[in-house]
Coordinates of all heavy atoms in Angstrom, one line a residue:
I29 N -32.7 -25.8 -161.0 CA -32.4 -26.5 -162.3 C -32.8 -27.9 -162.2 O -33.5 -28.4 -163.1 CB -30.8 -26.4 -162.6 CG1 -30.4 -24.9 -162.9 CG2 -30.5 -27.3 -163.8 CD1 -28.9 -24.7 -162.9
R61 N -23.0 -24.5 -164.4 CA -22.8 -24.7 -165.9 C -22.4 -26.2 -166.1 O -22.8 -26.8 -167.1 CB -21.7 -23.7 -166.4 CG -22.1 -22.3 -166.4 CD -21.3 -21.4 -167.3 NE -19.9 -21.5 -167.0 CZ -19.3 -20.7 -166.1 NH1 -20.0 -19.7 -165.5 NH2 -18.0 -20.8 -165.8
D70 N -31.5 -29.3 -171.0 CA -31.8 -28.4 -172.0 C -32.6 -27.2 -171.4 O -33.7 -27.3 -170.9 CB -32.6 -29.0 -173.1 CG -32.8 -28.1 -174.3 OD1 -31.9 -27.2 -174.5 OD2 -33.7 -28.3 -175.1
T90 N -39.5 -21.1 -156.7 CA -39.7 -19.7 -156.4 C -41.2 -19.5 -156.5 O -42.0 -20.5 -156.8 CB -39.0 -18.8 -157.4 OG1 -39.2 -17.4 -157.0 CG2 -39.4 -19.0 -158.8
R127 N -43.6 -25.8 -149.4 CA -43.2 -26.4 -148.1 C -42.0 -25.7 -147.5 O -40.9 -26.2 -147.8 CB -43.0 -27.9 -148.3 CG -44.1 -28.6 -149.1 CD -43.7 -30.1 -149.2 NE -44.5 -30.8 -150.2 CZ -44.3 -32.1 -150.5 NH1 -43.5 -32.8 -149.8 NH2 -45.0 -32.6 -151.5
N151 N -28.8 -39.0 -165.3 CA -28.7 -37.6 -165.4 C -29.6 -36.9 -164.5 O -29.2 -36.0 -163.7 CB -29.0 -37.2 -166.9 CG -27.8 -37.5 -167.8 OD1 -26.7 -37.5 -167.4 ND2 -28.2 -37.8 -169.1
M160 N -30.4 -31.3 -154.0 CA -30.8 -31.5 -152.6 C -29.5 -31.2 -151.7 O -29.6 -30.6 -150.7 CB -31.3 -32.9 -152.4 CG -32.7 -33.1 -152.9 SD -33.3 -34.8 -152.4 CE -32.8 -35.7 -153.9
I171 N -31.7 -29.4 -142.7 CA -32.0 -30.6 -143.5 C -32.9 -31.4 -142.6 O -32.7 -31.6 -141.4 CB -30.8 -31.4 -143.9 CG1 -31.2 -32.6 -144.8 CG2 -29.9 -31.8 -142.7 CD1 -30.0 -33.3 -145.4
H174 N -37.0 -36.0 -144.0 CA -37.6 -36.3 -145.3 C -36.6 -36.0 -146.4 O -36.6 -36.7 -147.4 CB -38.8 -35.4 -145.5 CG -39.6 -35.6 -146.8 ND1 -40.0 -36.8 -147.1 CD2 -40.0 -34.7 -147.7 CE1 -40.7 -36.7 -148.3 NE2 -40.7 -35.5 -148.7
E215 N -14.7 -5.6 -144.9 CA -14.6 -4.9 -143.6 C -15.2 -5.8 -142.5 O -16.2 -6.4 -142.7 CB -15.5 -3.6 -143.7 CG -15.0 -2.6 -144.7 CD -16.0 -1.4 -144.7 OE1 -17.1 -1.5 -144.2 OE2 -15.6 -0.4 -145.3
L225 N -18.4 -5.6 -153.5 CA -17.6 -6.0 -154.6 C -17.7 -5.0 -155.8 O -16.9 -5.2 -156.8 CB -18.1 -7.4 -155.1 CG -17.8 -8.6 -154.2 CD1 -18.4 -9.8 -154.8 CD2 -16.3 -8.7 -154.0
V228 N -19.7 -6.8 -160.8 CA -19.4 -8.2 -160.9 C -19.9 -8.7 -162.2 O -20.8 -8.2 -162.8 CB -19.9 -9.0 -159.7 CG1 -19.2 -8.6 -158.4 CG2 -21.4 -8.8 -159.5
L242 N -17.5 -16.6 -144.9 CA -18.2 -17.1 -143.7 C -17.4 -18.2 -143.0 O -17.6 -18.4 -141.8 CB -19.6 -17.7 -144.1 CG -20.5 -18.1 -142.9 CD1 -20.9 -16.9 -142.1 CD2 -21.7 -18.8 -143.4
R245 N -12.8 -17.6 -138.9 CA -13.0 -17.8 -137.5 C -13.5 -16.5 -136.8 O -13.1 -15.4 -137.2 CB -11.7 -18.3 -136.9 CG -11.8 -18.6 -135.4 CD -10.4 -19.0 -134.8 NE -9.9 -20.2 -135.5 CZ -8.6 -20.6 -135.4 NH1 -7.7 -19.9 -134.7 NH2 -8.2 -21.7 -136.0
D257 N -25.1 -4.2 -164.1 CA -26.0 -3.3 -164.9 C -26.8 -2.5 -164.0 O -26.3 -1.8 -163.1 CB -26.8 -4.1 -165.9 CG -25.9 -4.9 -166.9 OD1 -24.8 -4.4 -167.2 OD2 -26.3 -6.0 -167.3
I276 N -34.7 -11.4 -142.2 CA -33.8 -10.3 -142.0 C -33.5 -9.7 -143.4 O -33.6 -8.5 -143.6 CB -32.5 -10.6 -141.3 CG1 -32.7 -11.0 -139.9 CG2 -31.5 -9.4 -141.4 CD1 -31.5 -11.5 -139.1
S278 N -35.4 -9.9 -146.1 CA -36.6 -9.3 -146.5 C -36.8 -7.9 -145.9 O -37.2 -6.9 -146.6 CB -37.8 -10.2 -146.2 OG -39.0 -9.6 -146.6

Side-chain angles (χ1 to χ4, degrees):
I29 292 168
R61 295 198 300 271
D70 189 24
T90 184
R127 309 184 197 178
N151 287 330
M160 287 186 268
I171 184 168
H174 185 52
E215 299 177 346
L225 291 177
V228 294
L242 188 63
R245 183 183 297 168
D257 299 327
I276 293 174
S278 178

